[in-house]
Amino acid sequence: GMWILDISDPFHPTPISNIFFPDGFTADILVSDTLVYLVNWVESGYYYNGRGLWVVSIIDIQNPVALSHHPGITKYGTFVYHKNTIAREGNSVFLIQTKAATFDSVMEIIDVTKPDNPLTVGALVLPFSPYRIWVKDSIAYLATTDGGLRIVDCHNPSMPTEISSLLSAAGGIAVRDSLAFIAGNSADLYIYNI
């Protein structure tokens, strides 16, 4: 679920409202104007209806309203230590639902032009476990614990294509200008010119 807090006094945050979803736990969240994009994850290798992308209207912050739910194409839950993650660029949300047991992870590109009717336009199956995703200029950077940084060209959203990779493990990613800041597997920080 999601809580909205008033943090005008950061020492005493005040709850304003909340919204809960059936099955699963919120793993990542993005806010854009009056819309919130959340991704849920579920434990173990079980199928739950609550997994995937939720789009929430916060036009009235006292009463957040779920506009849509897009479970995605992944059919099973994730391991507890591999939560799902999302990124957004333009009218596209990049949803990663990580693998469980012998199932692969999936990166979906979802068109959210109509927030009440998100549509998958493309997907890439990955044999890795992405922790974080960053998207810049239609290139997705996926920090995976077991495959390093995977770089995916999404200029054609219906056919995302992996174009290169770096390192053997990555726990986080941020991009600024032409620099990628990559959290390594331990206390390492790598900076690459991309």
Side-chain angles (χ1 to χ4, degrees), residues 70-85:
H70 184 79
I73 60 178
T74 301
K75 299 298 183 191
Y76 297 93
T78 66
F79 284 129
V80 174
Y81 49 86
H82 286 299
K83 297 179 176 71
N84 300 327
T85 185

Side-chain angles (χ1 to χ4, degrees), residues 31-54:
V31 180
S32 179
D33 298 322
T34 59
L35 294 174
V36 178
Y37 304 90
L38 302 99
V39 60
N40 268 7
W41 65 285
V42 293
E43 289 187 47
S44 312
Y46 299 105
Y47 178 92
Y48 286 103
N49 291 327
R51 75 189 195 291
L53 176 69
W54 291 83

Side-chain angles (χ1 to χ4, degrees), residues 3 32 39-40 51-52 83 101 110 121 131 142 147 151 176 190:
W3 282 88
S32 179
V39 60
N40 268 7
R51 75 189 195 291
K83 297 179 176 71
I110 302 168
V121 294
Y131 257 53
L142 286 67
I151 302 174
R176 188 184 73 183
Y190 301 93

Side-chain angles (χ1 to χ4, degrees), residues 2-190:
M2 175 187 72
W3 282 88
I4 299 176
L5 305 176
D6 180 346
I7 56 168
S8 53
D9 178 357
F11 294 101
H12 302 94
T14 306
I16 295 174
S17 61
N18 65 334
I19 186 170
F20 290 102
F21 309 110
D23 297 331
F25 310 91
T26 300
D28 205 356
I29 185 170
L30 295 171
V31 180
S32 179
D33 298 322
T34 59
L35 294 174
V36 178
Y37 304 90
L38 302 99
V39 60
N40 268 7
W41 65 285
V42 293
E43 289 187 47
S44 312
Y46 299 105
Y47 178 92
Y48 286 103
N49 291 327
R51 75 189 195 291
L53 176 69
W54 291 83
V55 183
V56 177
S57 169
I58 52 169
I59 289 175
D60 177 1
I61 62 168
Q62 299 284 343
N63 297 293
V65 176
L67 298 179
S68 60
H69 172 226
H70 184 79
I73 60 178
T74 301
K75 299 298 183 191
Y76 297 93
T78 66
F79 284 129
V80 174
Y81 49 86
H82 286 299
K83 297 179 176 71
N84 300 327
T85 185
I86 52 174
R88 181 175 179 267
E89 185 177 61
N91 289 323
S92 296
V93 165
F94 296 75
L95 168 67
I96 292 185
Q97 299 197 80
T98 58
K99 65 183 181 179
T102 58
F103 301 101
D104 289 328
S105 301
V106 176
M107 180 189 79
E108 288 182 66
I109 302 175
I110 302 168
D111 184 343
V112 291
T113 303
K114 296 180 179 178
D116 59 343
N117 187 30
L119 300 171
T120 296
V121 294
L124 178 66
V125 176
L126 302 158
F128 306 108
S129 301
Y131 257 53
R132 289 285 169 228
I133 181 173
W134 191 282
V135 181
K136 182 178 186 295
D137 299 330
S138 297
I139 302 292
Y141 302 88
L142 286 67
T144 76
T145 55
D146 46 3
L149 183 71
R150 318 304 295 192
I151 302 174
V152 179
D153 184 342
C154 302
H155 283 92
N156 179 355
S158 65
M159 293 184 61
T161 305
E162 186 173 342
I163 54 175
S164 61
S165 63
L166 297 168
L167 307 173
S168 60
I173 175 69
V175 176
R176 188 184 73 183
D177 300 325
S178 62
L179 299 177
F181 299 81
I182 307 163
N185 206 22
S186 55
D188 301 321
L189 172 66
Y190 301 93

